Amino acid sequence: MFQEIIERLGRGVFASRDIVAKSIIEISPVLLLPSQDLQAHGGSNWPIQDIGTGKQSTTQAVVLGLGSIFNHSVRGQNVGWERDLVRVCVRYHALRDIAAGEELCIHYGRIWFVDEDDEGSDEESDGAERLGRIEID
């Protein structure tokens, strides 16, 4: 894989060779922020469990490695992802065969910006249905 700067989009990740569907593309470590940082970073996005009490909560996670560079696409998504709560990482895999030179794109889930890729979509979903399909080991 390699990264490249794309006009209007910034950086992107591209396949340096053909990638077979279902192949693991990247395993990105995750940095979990302390609870006092949650408000400053826009809330939480990573489920956690207190070892002592067993209480479930969430915290903010920053995905490192190439996971932080994949661009978003609704129509052109070719990479899926899943959280690994035990190993505190995110695994990325090819959703279909990907040709060398093709940009690798994920679906961010609920987004906070205008999605130029999703022109004409009337979908007003909060992403709960899509998030419900995410496999967590």
Side-chain angles (χ1 to χ4, degrees):
M1 290 179 280
F2 62 94
Q3 68 171 304
E4 186 173 298
I5 297 180
I6 310 164
E7 188 176 328
R8 291 187 10 221
L9 297 176
R11 297 191 192 306
V13 180
F14 294 82
S16 57
R17 59 175 175 76
D18 292 344
I19 301 172
V20 177
K22 299 183 182 176
S23 297
I24 297 292
I25 294 173
E26 165 81 348
I27 299 175
S28 296
V30 171
L31 174 65
L32 300 178
L33 300 179
S35 58
Q36 62 266 27
D37 290 349
L38 295 182
Q39 197 62 28
H41 295 284
S44 58
N45 63 2
W46 191 271
I48 58 172
Q49 182 175 15
D50 185 291
I51 295 171
T53 66
K55 182 181 176 187
Q56 298 280 341
S57 64
T58 55
T59 191
Q60 179 70 29
V62 178
V63 179
L64 305 173
L66 291 177
S68 64
I69 306 175
F70 290 119
N71 280 322
H72 165 79
S73 180
V74 172
R75 299 182 194 280
Q77 176 188 10
N78 53 12
V79 175
W81 57 273
E82 60 188 354
R83 295 178 183 129
D84 184 331
L85 301 178
V86 174
R87 293 176 187 87
V88 192
C89 63
V90 177
R91 282 191 300 273
Y92 297 91
H93 60 277
L95 295 174
R96 59 171 174 76
D97 290 343
I98 301 171
E102 189 174 345
E103 184 176 12
L104 304 177
C105 294
I106 65 172
H107 189 289
Y108 290 173
R110 189 172 188 181
I111 55 174
W112 59 95
F113 53 85
V114 175
D115 186 353
E116 294 182 23
D117 184 43
D118 197 21
E119 294 175 15
S121 173
D122 293 332
E123 185 177 330
E124 297 258 343
S125 169
D126 66 358
E129 187 273 329
R130 177 180 291 273
L131 288 174
R133 295 192 317 252
I134 296 173
E135 297 176 20
I136 300 177
D137 291 344

